[in-house]
Amino acid sequence: LGYVGSMARTYTGRSQGQLNEVARTAILEQADVRQAIEQRLAEWAETRPDKIADIESVRAGEAVAHTTYRRAGVRRLTWHLGAARGGKHCPYCARLNGKTVGIQQAFANDGDTLEGNDGDPPMRVRGSKQHAPAHSKCVCFVGPA
């Protein structure tokens, strides 16, 4: 239930937040709230499955790795860029690269911000990150320190 419950809470919260923002924006723009929400739902039907599959394939693998390391007695983990696996990485993940934490600690905590390159807005961390991914399209991974 831990992984599934976490996923359900994450997507429920994000969905509710997005729909609230769509409604707020429609009200401010004096647009039809129902139509705006229906449009967002239609967008989700088109794009959300692939987005969820991308991030959850990384999250599931990393959650299993984290649990396996912990059960094997590993006490410290290090964050590695996805580029080490042939993927791309972003400047936000570059800030985490090489960071080492205790197995029970987070690499970043809910509400923290990660700095990007000069001129990039800071990225707000959503949810505690004990393993990758840090964000959508993230292909980073953690390994024993």
Side-chain angles (χ1 to χ4, degrees), residues 5 11 23 74 86 97 115 118 120 122-123 125 130 140:
Y11 286 98
V74 172
N97 188 44
E115 298 298 323
D118 289 340
D120 290 335
M123 180 181 77
V125 176
Q130 288 188 292
C140 293

Side-chain angles (χ1 to χ4, degrees), residues 5 8 13 17 46 76 109 125 130 135 138 143:
E46 191 70 28
R76 297 178 61 72
N109 292 297
V125 176
Q130 288 188 292
H135 56 82
C138 179

Side-chain angles (χ1 to χ4, degrees), residues 108-129:
N109 292 297
D110 187 38
D112 286 353
T113 55
L114 296 176
E115 298 298 323
N117 291 328
D118 289 340
D120 290 335
M123 180 181 77
R124 185 169 177 266
V125 176
R126 294 183 180 172
S128 180
K129 306 298 179 194

Side-chain angles (χ1 to χ4, degrees), residues 87-123:
K88 295 182 179 180
H89 71 275
C90 71
Y92 303 105
C93 288
R95 303 284 186 202
L96 293 172
N97 188 44
K99 183 175 182 177
T100 298
V101 300
I103 193 82
Q104 299 295 345
Q105 295 176 306
F107 288 93
N109 292 297
D110 187 38
D112 286 353
T113 55
L114 296 176
E115 298 298 323
N117 291 328
D118 289 340
D120 290 335
M123 180 181 77

Side-chain angles (χ1 to χ4, degrees), residues 10-94:
T10 295
Y11 286 98
T12 300
R14 287 182 185 172
S15 298
Q16 184 176 12
Q18 284 186 42
L19 292 177
N20 287 342
E21 184 59 32
V22 166
R24 247 189 313 276
T25 300
I27 290 167
L28 289 173
E29 295 174 356
Q30 297 181 346
D32 185 329
V33 174
R34 180 178 175 181
Q35 183 180 6
I37 289 173
E38 286 177 354
Q39 181 179 347
R40 178 56 55 94
L41 293 173
E43 290 168 7
W44 285 349
E46 191 70 28
T47 63
R48 215 168 198 204
D50 288 338
K51 288 179 181 180
I52 291 172
D54 284 347
I55 197 165
E56 291 305 323
S57 63
V58 174
R59 187 182 331 273
E62 287 300 299
V64 168
H66 185 274
T67 299
T68 302
Y69 292 142
R70 184 177 44 78
R71 288 182 178 167
V74 172
R75 294 177 182 244
R76 297 178 61 72
L77 296 174
T78 301
W79 188 278
H80 301 282
L81 294 176
R85 291 183 174 166
K88 295 182 179 180
H89 71 275
C90 71
Y92 303 105
C93 288

